[in-house]
Amino acid sequence: MGEAVQRRFTVLTAVVAALGMTATLSGCGGDSGSGDVTLTLVAADYGNSAANSSEKYWSGVAAGFEKKHPGIKVDVNVYSWKDVDRKVAEMVKAGKAPDIAQIGAYADYAKDGKLYSADQMLSIPTQANFLPTLTDAGKVDGTLYGLPFVASTRLLFYNEKLFGQAGLDAPETWDDIQKDATALKAKGVKYPFALPLGQEESQAETLMWLLSNSGGYVDDVGLYDIDSAQNIATFSWLRDNLVGKGLTGPVAPGKLDRAKAFEAFTKGEVGMLNGHPTLMEEAEAKGVKVGMVPLPGAEGPTKGSMGVADWMMGFKQNGNRKAIGDFFDYAYSDENVLAFADEYDLLPVTGSASAEMETDTKHAKLREFLAALPNSQLPPFGKTSWATVSESIKTNIGEAVAPGGSPERVLGAIAAEAAKAESAE
């Protein structure tokens, strides 16, 4: 994270102390401030089995909160990532919005006036403790509605054993990736470079590659720029130099989901792919020694990383503003934030928890990811059109690198859909 970031956390701590740890905004005093309250919480499951289900975490947080706040109960409901966003949307549509949701998108609800803003719910110390990069991504029209819950950044992972057998060094440029993948293929590696552009999370894989060529989804003023010359050049390179040369494995990128690519990496079948902290732990637990470097770019290592965050939000419908704010202040304590990050090998979203993680030797393997977070670039979560655009990317981007595919046509079609979605706001 670096000394500059550490200094920012030190200043932040001093500011928080000056304000007083019990200080709250005057706007938090109303709404369901007395009497018995039951908060409905809907959250996503980050686990992959009953043993590490997120329901255990949230039930523990709820129990601790209820002990400190007699008269407030928390009804915990955890759903898989495949279902949770749809479930919340159905609840809102039916007029039965949860009080608290921890899901993947917030902007539509904020734009429709269904959410409390952060300053209507949170104490000043809680608000001040979020990492600025993440709060910037949680705003709609300059107001924070999406509270960052957990974050990660991405690095290029490579299998050190396979690289050693092929006599290779870690790649720094796109040309290095192609040369290394060619050598790995010659050694019989099943997936020299795994490129998951299937529907599971290809909007993230896409952004990583766009950033590696100084592109992205939006321009400097926040307007969509999906079919820019840089972006078209990036996918043309992928089509011609990786996919077209048979260096991405037996499954077409447009049919390869992230989970399958990650599973193959943990089996030792993948030479290189873009990964996050959870994959690092899973791979090493299965005996795969993982090398990590910034994503190679057209001319050299990419200077910034892609950041990813999920969001918490408080719905207005039931009028439980004060109780929701109390819950958030409790949930965002360092103890709770670090417990979740530890369980799933993810990054905390608060300055104090990040500083603690950086100095704790048991988190040494996460330091490269932590260091990348302050300067990372996130997808345009604050755009209400992003859900539509993201879905279009997930559905169509694989066609851009298919044999005979046209990046210009595919990106142009996605850009047209983005413009339509923007104009409909």
Side-chain angles (χ1 to χ4, degrees), residues 314-399:
F315 281 86
K316 292 180 177 179
Q317 182 177 315
N318 301 316
N320 291 327
R321 176 175 60 174
K322 176 65 167 62
I324 293 170
D326 289 343
F327 181 83
F328 282 146
D329 286 338
Y330 179 81
Y332 280 106
S333 69
D334 285 356
E335 178 183 1
N336 288 324
V337 170
L338 286 168
F340 194 91
D342 284 344
E343 178 66 29
Y344 300 106
D345 299 310
L346 293 167
L347 305 180
V349 297
T350 62
S352 56
S354 295
E356 184 173 336
M357 177 177 278
E358 186 181 31
T359 58
D360 191 334
T361 56
K362 76 176 182 179
H363 298 299
K365 292 181 179 179
L366 292 175
R367 286 174 183 164
E368 289 187 64
F369 296 97
L370 276 168
L373 187 57
N375 296 317
S376 63
Q377 182 171 324
L378 280 71
F381 290 115
K383 288 181 172 288
T384 56
S385 59
W386 173 242
T388 298
V389 176
S390 176
E391 191 61 33
S392 179
I393 295 166
K394 289 190 285 186
T395 301
N396 298 302
I397 196 64
E399 298 176 14

